[in-house]
Amino acid sequence: MSRFWSERVRELEPYVPGEQPKIDGLIKLNTNESPFPPSPRVRDVLTDGAIDKLRLYPDPNSSALKQTIADYYGLKPEQTFVGNGSDEVLAFAFMAFFQQPRPLLYPDITYSFYPVYCQLFDIDYEMLPLADDLSINLADYRRENGGIIFPNPNAPTGRALPLSDIEALLKENTDSVVLIDEAYVDFGAESAAQLVDRYPNLLVTQTLSKSRSLAGLRLGFALGSAELIEGLERVKNSFNSYPVDRLAEAAAIVAIEDDDYFRQCRDQVIATREWTEARLQELGFQTVPSAANFVFARVPEGEDAAELSRQLRDARIIVRYFNKPRLSEYLRISIGSDTEMQALITALKAILS
Amino acid sequence: MSRFWSERVRELEPYVPGEQPKIDGLIKLNTNESPFPPSPRVRDVLTDGAIDKLRLYPDPNSSALKQTIADYYGLKPEQTFVGNGSDEVLAFAFMAFFQQPRPLLYPDITYSFYPVYCQLFDIDYEMLPLADDLSINLADYRRENGGIIFPNPNAPTGRALPLSDIEALLKENTDSVVLIDEAYVDFGAESAAQLVDRYPNLLVTQTLSKSRSLAGLRLGFALGSAELIEGLERVKNSFNSYPVDRLAEAAAIVAIEDDDYFRQCRDQVIATREWTEARLQELGFQTVPSAANFVFARVPEGEDAAELSRQLRDARIIVRYFNKPRLSEYLRISIGSDTEMQALITALKAILS
């Protein structure tokens, strides 16, 4: 605590990201990274010429990347926004749309950055409880609000809602922004991107961190009506003119264009997830049906999830444990390579036997 | 304007950065970029192995880069903060320190992002007029305040204050944060970094965009007491866990370590600036003494600065013109290569004759 801090900053409880250990040789299944390198085309664009041009600022509008994203989703560039990771895009969206007289609505179990943004930007919110099976009940969201946000699939549960449910919500909720956070959508859910042309209050965010193996380059984007995108641009241009650097823009373009590689990696993650779910069930875990690149698994009857995560760590495998009500009997396990998941199952067998 | 925007966002007047034209072959002297590529060592760190590792998140704390910066300035890593360009670092600082009951003080002629941050974060401010010679009079700042910020050297004037003046201010102003924005310090001013150990309310920001030729990679940093840095970390960790990507961190480290290359580029910019100032004076311009990588020059008696900048543009040379009171008779001209500055002088001779 310092007397020089603003009052708001004294009260903040910052977000705690998953550990990024500096030890080599660990099997890292704690932050939902891809087990595959990015598209090989990324190497082709990070040339000596591109490095020499780093002396120049990037295009503040990231026009080339916006065009690529617009083409990919069948939208116009003015329906796209890009930022330094989808966390930055979310932060801008909270400022642009959710500072309202009525409360923002989101699930009680969800991405734990949402309450932090609410604190930082002084946004009133209501958390609506998930059902017993950890699904989101959208009927609960039919009430007065200053905005609605949830991930689809949700995190850390991995459960997805069908697009028809999201469209039904949009048909009724027309006076505030509905933000669908699609960080994990590529691994098994339907994107609401196709609804953007029809619902002016729909904002969809996505990231290149997971399904395009670019967590280390920080690239997120939003899709929405031109008026919502303009709101995001106004905040971005009042905060940082150039959040996306030259190399990140160039790499993101080829990563999106290389759709074959994207599909190949995604299909492999899904196949490995299904294998992992089956093995975990054989060991007595109850898995939540996952549409993401992780599995949320309740530990076998009589086991302690915190203790299990410590024992896995002793075996040099890191998974994510949340010491929170309703989550404390679960582990969130990212889907790594086949070899890594085999090592996980072998380690769990040894620990549980 | 959209009914979905927050009230604050409706009222914003975003910052307008200097144009980044997409036409090749222009001589670009409008955004204070370096005429030199970044250190050749940057090529050595952007390897195929580093690209493959982009599947993993960066170190959220950028510890290796902080250590490099700390070593360079003789400070501890906990006295350093890094962000996505110094604009992001400034935005965090405005949130962390300047949301106060008393107004923030800054010069009436200065970096035009400051009033934008004040709008975005609802910060009360007072602008104190520069003297007739466009210098900052620090005696004016000895009044009640919730913070003080100015660039040293100032922009767009290029004028620097001696370190002794800044220290005198720090000795009297002990109850609020004094932020010295040193984006241009390497081209001729003394850094306040050496005062950080003695004044807990001093924050210094710098950037790798100018003197280290990395504008395209977005890397800024702050130096200050551990308690100020902790305030910045609290805001950053409530906004975006990983603002500095893996390639930016790796490139920044070698760019700082390659001190010989840095000195060589800086010395060349200073020599070219001196040559340019002399030639402009011969043409009837009045130049403000510059400690930066640009010259702020009053156009010759009877000439119109806006018209002159348009004529330069017709000659494929872009400089910066500010259509604002007290600035409208000046051009801000970035220092490019010798060849570029010779072309500028040749074009000006032709236009003025």
Side-chain angles (χ1 to χ4, degrees):
Chain A
M1 186 71 75
S2 159
R3 67 192 176 99
F4 298 118
W5 297 356
S6 308
E7 196 186 328
R8 177 80 38 82
V9 171
R10 285 180 218 165
E11 291 163 3
L12 280 176
E13 294 164 57
Y15 176 75
V16 180
E19 187 190 356
Q20 296 293 335
K22 286 177 193 116
I23 315 155
D24 276 337
L26 290 180
I27 296 181
K28 196 169 168 307
L29 306 176
N30 68 328
T31 54
N32 302 337
E33 290 145 334
S34 169
F36 307 110
S39 160
R41 292 196 204 164
V42 171
R43 295 185 181 188
D44 301 337
V45 296
L46 302 190
T47 61
D48 287 351
I51 292 169
D52 285 354
K53 278 205 162 181
L54 290 176
R55 72 180 183 86
L56 301 171
Y57 282 100
D59 169 14
N61 192 44
S62 306
S63 306
L65 175 54
K66 285 184 173 182
Q67 187 66 57
T68 301
I69 293 169
D71 291 346
Y72 192 84
Y73 289 97
L75 296 167
K76 299 189 188 109
E78 59 266 31
Q79 294 171 305
T80 69
F81 178 85
V82 297
N84 179 32
S86 64
D87 284 345
E88 183 181 76
V89 178
L90 289 170
F92 290 156
F94 273 67
M95 270 198 269
F97 311 121
F98 296 151
Q99 289 184 319
Q100 301 289 356
R102 280 175 285 189
L104 175 67
L105 308 181
Y106 57 79
D108 64 336
I109 294 177
T110 193
Y111 187 31
S112 52
F113 223 130
Y114 300 160
V116 180
Y117 294 133
C118 288
Q119 264 197 321
L120 185 65
F121 302 125
D122 199 22
I123 292 166
D124 189 23
Y125 63 91
E126 281 177 38
M127 295 194 296
L128 306 180
L130 293 189
D132 286 344
D133 67 354
L134 301 184
S135 64
I136 295 174
N137 183 0
L138 284 185
D140 297 341
Y141 291 75
R142 281 154 194 165
R143 60 170 82 185
E144 293 247 310
N145 67 75
I148 294 173
I149 183 170
F150 55 85
N152 193 42
N154 195 12
T157 66
R159 260 196 193 276
L161 286 167
L163 196 58
S164 53
D165 287 11
I166 291 171
E167 185 161 15
L169 175 71
L170 285 162
K171 278 186 175 145
E172 291 193 29
N173 192 93
T174 55
D175 290 333
S176 69
V177 170
V178 176
L179 199 168
I180 314 294
D181 175 350
E182 296 190 338
Y184 300 103
V185 75
D186 291 324
F187 300 103
E190 289 169 285
S191 175
Q194 58 194 282
L195 303 179
V196 157
D197 269 329
R198 274 179 285 153
Y199 298 93
N201 61 325
L202 167 64
L203 194 73
V204 175
T205 56
Q206 291 199 11
T207 175
L208 273 71
S209 294
K210 321 286 184 184
S211 58
R212 288 184 179 83
S213 305
L214 284 172
L217 208 54
R218 318 306 305 121
L219 214 303
F221 60 93
L223 308 170
S225 60
E227 63 179 303
L228 294 194
I229 298 302
E230 191 190 339
L232 291 175
E233 295 290 352
R234 289 173 69 81
V235 174
K236 172 244 171 195
N237 288 323
S238 303
F239 183 87
N240 188 357
S241 306
Y242 316 88
V244 175
D245 74 60
R246 283 180 165 265
L247 301 186
E249 184 180 11
I253 289 171
V254 293
I256 292 172
E257 286 174 349
D258 194 354
D259 208 40
D260 285 346
Y261 183 79
F262 158 76
R263 285 169 192 274
Q264 184 189 319
C265 294
R266 180 200 59 187
D267 293 349
Q268 183 60 56
V269 167
I270 293 171
T272 305
R273 179 183 73 210
E274 287 168 358
W275 181 89
T276 305
E277 285 174 322
R279 296 298 85 70
L280 287 171
Q281 287 161 11
E282 288 167 5
L283 290 172
F285 286 83
Q286 281 181 290
T287 58
V288 180
S290 174
N293 68 339
F294 57 82
V295 175
F296 200 54
R298 186 176 197 139
V299 298
E301 201 70 35
E303 298 292 334
D304 181 279
E307 176 59 23
L308 205 48
S309 82
R310 276 191 293 272
Q311 289 174 298
L312 282 173
R313 202 186 159 101
D314 291 341
R316 306 182 70 76
I317 298 173
I318 318 184
V319 300
R320 190 107 194 239
Y321 169 71
F322 300 90
N323 187 14
K324 285 183 183 173
R326 297 186 75 189
L327 304 183
S328 60
E329 294 174 0
Y330 290 81
L331 297 177
R332 196 196 65 186
I333 303 168
S334 306
I335 301 302
S337 67
D338 283 349
T339 313
E340 290 173 322
M341 302 321 281
Q342 282 155 8
L344 169 82
I345 297 300
T346 303
L348 282 173
K349 272 185 191 158
I351 294 166
L352 296 172
S353 69
Chain B
M1 186 71 76
S2 159
R3 66 192 175 99
F4 298 117
W5 297 356
S6 309
E7 196 186 329
R8 176 81 38 81
V9 171
R10 284 179 217 164
E11 290 163 4
L12 281 175
E13 295 165 56
Y15 177 74
V16 180
E19 187 191 355
Q20 296 295 333
K22 287 177 193 115
I23 315 156
D24 275 338
L26 290 180
I27 296 181
K28 196 169 170 308
L29 305 176
N30 68 327
T31 52
N32 303 336
E33 290 145 333
S34 169
F36 306 111
S39 160
R41 292 196 205 164
V42 171
R43 294 185 181 187
D44 301 337
V45 296
L46 302 190
T47 60
D48 288 350
I51 292 170
D52 286 353
K53 277 206 163 179
L54 290 175
R55 72 180 184 85
L56 301 172
Y57 282 100
D59 170 11
N61 193 42
S62 305
S63 307
L65 176 54
K66 285 184 173 181
Q67 187 66 58
T68 302
I69 293 169
D71 290 345
Y72 192 84
Y73 289 97
L75 296 168
K76 299 190 188 109
E78 59 267 31
Q79 293 171 305
T80 69
F81 178 85
V82 297
N84 178 31
S86 63
D87 283 345
E88 184 181 75
V89 178
L90 289 170
F92 290 155
F94 274 66
M95 270 197 269
F97 310 120
F98 296 152
Q99 290 185 320
Q100 300 289 356
R102 282 175 283 191
L104 176 67
L105 307 180
Y106 57 79
D108 65 336
I109 294 177
T110 193
Y111 186 30
S112 54
F113 223 131
Y114 301 160
V116 180
Y117 295 133
C118 288
Q119 264 197 323
L120 185 65
F121 303 125
D122 198 21
I123 292 165
D124 188 22
Y125 62 91
E126 280 178 37
M127 295 194 296
L128 305 181
L130 293 190
D132 286 343
D133 67 352
L134 301 183
S135 64
I136 296 174
N137 183 359
L138 285 184
D140 297 341
Y141 291 75
R142 280 153 194 166
R143 62 171 81 187
E144 292 249 307
N145 66 74
I148 294 173
I149 183 171
F150 54 85
N152 193 42
N154 196 12
T157 66
R159 260 196 195 276
L161 286 167
L163 196 59
S164 53
D165 286 12
I166 291 172
E167 184 161 17
L169 175 71
L170 285 162
K171 279 186 176 143
E172 291 196 28
N173 191 93
T174 55
D175 290 333
S176 69
V177 171
V178 176
L179 199 167
I180 314 294
D181 176 351
E182 296 189 338
Y184 301 103
V185 75
D186 292 324
F187 301 103
E190 289 169 286
S191 175
Q194 59 194 282
L195 303 179
V196 157
D197 268 330
R198 273 179 286 152
Y199 299 94
N201 61 325
L202 166 64
L203 194 73
V204 174
T205 57
Q206 292 199 11
T207 175
L208 274 70
S209 294
K210 322 287 184 185
S211 57
R212 288 184 179 84
S213 305
L214 284 172
L217 209 55
R218 319 305 306 119
L219 214 304
F221 60 92
L223 308 171
S225 61
E227 63 179 301
L228 294 193
I229 298 303
E230 191 190 340
L232 291 175
E233 296 289 353
R234 289 174 67 81
V235 174
K236 172 243 167 194
N237 288 323
S238 303
F239 182 88
N240 187 357
S241 305
Y242 316 89
V244 175
D245 74 60
R246 283 180 166 265
L247 302 186
E249 184 180 10
I253 288 170
V254 293
I256 293 172
E257 286 174 349
D258 193 354
D259 208 42
D260 286 345
Y261 183 78
F262 158 76
R263 286 169 191 276
Q264 183 189 319
C265 293
R266 181 200 59 187
D267 291 349
Q268 182 59 56
V269 166
I270 292 171
T272 306
R273 178 183 75 209
E274 287 168 358
W275 180 90
T276 305
E277 285 174 322
R279 297 297 85 69
L280 287 170
Q281 287 161 11
E282 288 166 7
L283 290 172
F285 286 82
Q286 283 181 289
T287 58
V288 180
S290 173
N293 67 339
F294 57 82
V295 175
F296 200 54
R298 187 175 196 140
V299 298
E301 201 70 36
E303 297 293 334
D304 180 277
E307 177 58 22
L308 205 48
S309 82
R310 275 190 294 272
Q311 289 174 300
L312 281 173
R313 199 183 161 104
D314 291 342
R316 304 182 71 75
I317 299 173
I318 318 184
V319 300
R320 190 107 193 239
Y321 169 71
F322 300 90
N323 187 14
K324 287 184 183 173
R326 298 184 76 189
L327 305 183
S328 60
E329 294 174 0
Y330 289 82
L331 296 177
R332 195 197 66 186
I333 303 169
S334 306
I335 300 302
S337 67
D338 283 349
T339 313
E340 289 174 324
M341 302 321 279
Q342 282 154 7
L344 169 82
I345 297 299
T346 304
L348 282 174
K349 273 186 189 155
I351 294 167
L352 296 172
S353 70

